[in-house]
Structure formats: structure tokens, C-alpha cells
Amino acid sequence: MESLVSTEWLAQHLGQPDLVVVDSSWHMPASGRSGRDEYVASHIPGARFLDIDELSDHADPAPHMLPSAEEFGPAMERLGIGRDDRIVVYDNSPIRTAARGWFMVRHFGARQVALLDGGFQKWTTERRPTESGEPAPRAADFQAEERGDEVVTKQQILAGEVRTALLDARGKARFEGSEPDPRPGVEPGHIPGACNLPFGALYNDDGTFRSRDEIRRLFAEADVDPYEPFTASCGSGVTAISLIFAAHLLGNDSTKLYDGSWAEWGSDPATPKALGPA
């Protein structure tokens, strides 16, 4: 299974016993939208709902930080998602949260994980079937183990231990600090030395990913080599994964995630902050 599958491919394979479809839609709190409520109302037949905010480390003050493997595995089994299943993740969110779901299930050991190109938006535009309610129970085994060295911490960045390029997926205005951060108590700006590639640039208007050539061009314009290791960040560790997935499409799996991202960095008065363009 390819890492990026089309709606046509999914329609042809839907219902196969080892194929699990996962809706990981999440919305910014100010949007007034609920990923779970929208999922219950309408989703791809058989899809399970992965709540990337609920399944997180609630002991950490930063939003939706990765949970422990001990929490993640049983949660997947309750959802009916197995580690050895073929997993296709999609969303119905303007901030493309399927990428975060893709990252999470891979990070904890699943080997066959794909994104649905264009997501629920494209699926419904093509008038493909949907259903409502909760899916039928499904037996699943998910022995979760974290992939090593995929996530970096604020302390590692401050200590100079992160020697890769830093690439920020937020929009230009938030990166430069010309507009306030939407989260209370979070200062504007970016990590000194970071480059900026807004995640939305990677997608076409219909939610599909841009071509490999266009992805390479966008990284070049951001002054980051997509074939070399880099560390991605954003507002809270969600849209950064679009950058990581784009590099993955080009064959680069040496990227890292700063999971705390600007929500953590910008709320700490002791961290250095830069304003203006990169």
C-alpha cells in the first residue's frame, strides 16, 4: 500500500478484512466545530474515530502531546485498530489533521499506514457512500512501541542538541509575529533560526497534496532541503506533520517533530523568541 492513496483506490478496497479506515478530524477550539460530532453524523463506511486531542498526555500543559505507548496501544484496541492492519487515515478539517493521525499510529509501531488524498472533502464531493453512528466492534491487537528518535523536546533545542534545520508550519503572519497567537498567554514570533513553510502551501484547493516537483520547490523557497533531516514545528504539533509527510513522500524519513511546538515555546517567558521574516 502506498503512503498516499486516492479516493478511487479506497473505494475499490473498502470492506477488505485487514483494511481499517480512521477519521482523525480535529478543529481549533475557536472554530466551533467538533470532529467527533461530525464523524458520528457522517463518515466513510466502517471508519473508526481517532480523537487526537483526547488520546494525548493530559499531564502535560501543552495541547495534545503524544501519549505513552502504554496508553496508546489499548486505546487502539478499543477502537478496533490493529498494529498489523492496513490503515488509511483521513480528515474533514481545514488544518489537515489526518497527517497527525498518520504520524501517531506509525510512531507507535504500525507499519502500513496511508493518508487518503483529499480526505472526506474529496470523498463526499465525488458522492461516494457515507454512514452515520458508531462502527461495529472489531477485534484488534496493537502492541504499541515508540519509534525512537522521532520527537525532540524544548530542553533539547535549548541545549543545542538539535542540529537539524528547524521548519515552522504556521502561517507567515504568526511566524513573523505580525498577528497575535490565538492561544492566551502565548507570545508572538518564532524560534530563532527557524525557517517557515506554511503547511497549507502543500495542498491543492481540493485538499489533495501537490506534486512532488511542487513540494520540492516549496521546500527550496523555504531554504530547507527536503532530503536532509529537519525538525518540524507549528502551533501545537499538528500541522507540522504535513511537512513531515511531504518529506516522507519524497523518501525522507529522517525528520523529527518538536511536539510541544509554539504553544509550549511561546508560553515560556525564558525561551528566546524572534520576530520578522526568517
Side-chain angles (χ1 to χ4, degrees), residues 13 15 21 29 56 93 100 112 130-131 173 183 200 204-205 229 247 262:
H13 293 80
V21 182
S56 63
S93 172
R100 176 73 181 195
Q112 299 184 83
T130 61
E131 66 181 14
R183 293 182 171 85
N204 297 304
D205 290 343
W262 193 253

Side-chain angles (χ1 to χ4, degrees), residues 2 5 12 35 51 70 92 101-102 106 127 144 146 154 171 176 186 189 194 196 205 211 223 239 258:
E2 298 292 329
V5 300
Q12 291 171 351
D51 190 329
E70 291 74 22
N92 187 25
W102 170 86
R106 289 182 83 246
R127 301 185 182 278
E146 287 195 71
K154 177 180 70 175
E176 295 183 356
V186 178
N196 183 214
D205 290 343
S211 70
D223 202 26
T239 61
Y258 170 30

Side-chain angles (χ1 to χ4, degrees), residues 259-277:
D259 199 22
S261 285
W262 193 253
E264 179 182 55
W265 191 277
S267 63
D268 184 349
T271 55
K273 302 165 185 74
L275 298 172

Side-chain angles (χ1 to χ4, degrees), residues 106-254:
R106 289 182 83 246
H107 180 69
F108 288 105
R111 297 174 182 86
Q112 299 184 83
V113 191
L115 278 187
L116 178 62
D117 203 17
F120 196 64
Q121 171 189 347
K122 192 168 190 290
W123 183 269
T124 53
T125 297
E126 295 167 349
R127 301 185 182 278
R128 299 188 187 275
T130 61
E131 66 181 14
S132 60
E134 298 290 347
R138 180 179 185 271
D141 177 62
F142 202 115
Q143 299 297 315
E145 297 175 333
E146 287 195 71
R147 291 181 184 231
D149 206 29
E150 282 192 333
V151 179
V152 305
T153 65
K154 177 180 70 175
Q155 290 74 23
Q156 288 175 308
I157 296 174
L158 288 169
E161 296 172 11
V162 177
R163 296 182 173 86
T164 65
L166 293 172
L167 188 56
D168 192 318
R170 293 176 299 155
K172 182 174 183 287
R174 283 182 63 194
F175 175 83
E176 295 183 356
S178 59
E179 69 176 31
D181 194 273
R183 293 182 171 85
V186 178
E187 294 182 40
H190 59 267
I191 300 172
C195 299
N196 183 214
L197 173 48
F199 78 95
L202 296 167
Y203 295 89
N204 297 304
D205 290 343
D206 65 353
T208 57
F209 263 87
R210 293 191 181 276
S211 70
R212 270 56 165 188
D213 284 345
E214 289 176 306
I215 289 171
R216 281 187 280 267
R217 175 183 58 78
L218 289 164
F219 272 88
E221 290 174 357
D223 202 26
V224 171
D225 187 338
Y227 296 99
E228 292 295 324
F230 65 83
T231 298
S233 70
C234 56
S236 62
V238 175
T239 61
I241 310 297
S242 286
L243 308 183
I244 288 174
F245 185 81
H248 170 77
L249 286 177
L250 299 180
N252 179 6
D253 282 321
S254 298

Side-chain angles (χ1 to χ4, degrees), residues 21-70:
V21 182
V22 176
D23 183 332
S24 66
S25 300
W26 180 80
H27 304 280
M28 292 291 287
S31 71
R33 295 176 64 182
S34 164
R36 179 177 290 280
D37 289 350
E38 293 181 8
Y39 160 82
V40 171
S42 181
H43 55 260
I44 294 175
R48 274 67 187 137
F49 185 72
L50 170 57
D51 190 329
I52 63 174
D53 193 49
E54 180 61 31
L55 185 53
S56 63
D57 182 359
H58 294 283
D60 197 302
H64 36 252
M65 296 285 280
L66 288 168
S68 66
E70 291 74 22

